[in-house]
Amino acid sequence: MRRQPGRIVLSAALVLLLPPSAFAKRHNGNDRASFGSDITVAEGQTVGDVACAFCSVHLHGDATGDVAVAFGSVTVDPGHTISGDTAVLLGNVNLGEGSAVHGDLAILGGDAHLADGAAIHGSQSVIPQPIGTLILLAPLLILVGIIWLIVHLVRRSRYQFPVYPQGRGIQPPPPPPR
């Protein structure tokens, strides 16, 4: 069988380039992102995806995409919806009366406050504050423990223990001559 390097290169290029374009999400220009300042969607307004770090999201309108918040909260006014998934890290989700999240809800280090008639149509995963914080800090605590152990072992191996005569440790002084 004759080798065909051109066919192999073409196959590799197709394998590497086609999957990312097949899974690419279309953006309609209504997406919102912020770092440090709150995002407020006005009444009657519709947004796509919303991403926010160190801030909160206030929905007086609707969100057709996903909502992701780190170190902040999500507040949805009565009668409004989030069509996608909602993820909150160290914050709360407040759903007004008749509001809904049509996707999944995941909260790490916070709580979900649902008013009467509010609904979450997808799966709901809430890990409350003390446990959520420990889960976030666990890798850092493990790293600090490993560093402490290395420093302890290095200092211990460099410490010069005193050498006692005849290898018997410290001896009492000899008795005085008579």
Side-chain angles (χ1 to χ4, degrees), residues 148-160:
W148 176 84
L149 182 63
I150 291 170
V151 169
H152 175 72
L153 292 175
V154 167
R155 284 186 178 172
R156 184 174 156 210
S157 68
R158 288 188 178 180
Y159 178 73
Q160 297 295 320

Side-chain angles (χ1 to χ4, degrees), residues 127-175:
I127 300 176
Q129 182 61 30
I131 297 169
T133 305
L134 287 176
I135 289 172
L136 286 175
L137 293 178
L140 180 65
L141 294 175
I142 292 170
L143 181 64
V144 167
I146 291 171
I147 290 171
W148 176 84
L149 182 63
I150 291 170
V151 169
H152 175 72
L153 292 175
V154 167
R155 284 186 178 172
R156 184 174 156 210
S157 68
R158 288 188 178 180
Y159 178 73
Q160 297 295 320
F161 291 97
V163 178
Y164 300 110
Q166 290 91 23
R168 289 188 240 141
I170 299 176
Q171 300 293 323

Side-chain angles (χ1 to χ4, degrees), residues 51-73:
C52 176
F54 300 102
C55 57
S56 295
V57 174
H58 306 282
L59 289 174
H60 305 293
D62 295 323
T64 59
D66 301 330
V67 176
V69 176
F71 308 104
S73 62

Side-chain angles (χ1 to χ4, degrees), residues 1-172:
M1 180 174 207
R2 196 172 138 226
R3 297 190 92 165
Q4 298 175 347
R7 184 176 278 180
I8 294 172
V9 171
L10 180 62
S11 298
L14 287 175
V15 167
L16 292 175
L17 296 177
L18 285 182
S21 62
F23 294 113
K25 187 175 181 181
R26 295 184 192 267
H27 295 282
N28 57 5
N30 277 346
D31 298 341
R32 301 262 183 101
S34 178
F35 185 86
S37 61
D38 290 352
I39 296 175
T40 302
V41 177
E43 180 75 34
Q45 200 174 30
T46 301
V47 296
D49 294 334
V50 179
C52 176
F54 300 102
C55 57
S56 295
V57 174
H58 306 282
L59 289 174
H60 305 293
D62 295 323
T64 59
D66 301 330
V67 176
V69 176
F71 308 104
S73 62
V74 176
T75 303
V76 181
D77 280 356
H80 295 286
T81 62
I82 298 174
S83 297
D85 299 331
T86 302
V88 178
L89 175 67
L90 291 177
N92 297 324
V93 173
N94 305 306
L95 296 179
E97 186 176 323
S99 60
V101 175
H102 292 289
D104 298 334
L105 174 68
I107 302 172
L108 179 62
D111 201 10
H113 304 284
L114 283 72
D116 293 336
I120 299 168
H121 297 289
S123 64
Q124 180 178 350
S125 176
V126 178
I127 300 176
Q129 182 61 30
I131 297 169
T133 305
L134 287 176
I135 289 172
L136 286 175
L137 293 178
L140 180 65
L141 294 175
I142 292 170
L143 181 64
V144 167
I146 291 171
I147 290 171
W148 176 84
L149 182 63
I150 291 170
V151 169
H152 175 72
L153 292 175
V154 167
R155 284 186 178 172
R156 184 174 156 210
S157 68
R158 288 188 178 180
Y159 178 73
Q160 297 295 320
F161 291 97
V163 178
Y164 300 110
Q166 290 91 23
R168 289 188 240 141
I170 299 176
Q171 300 293 323

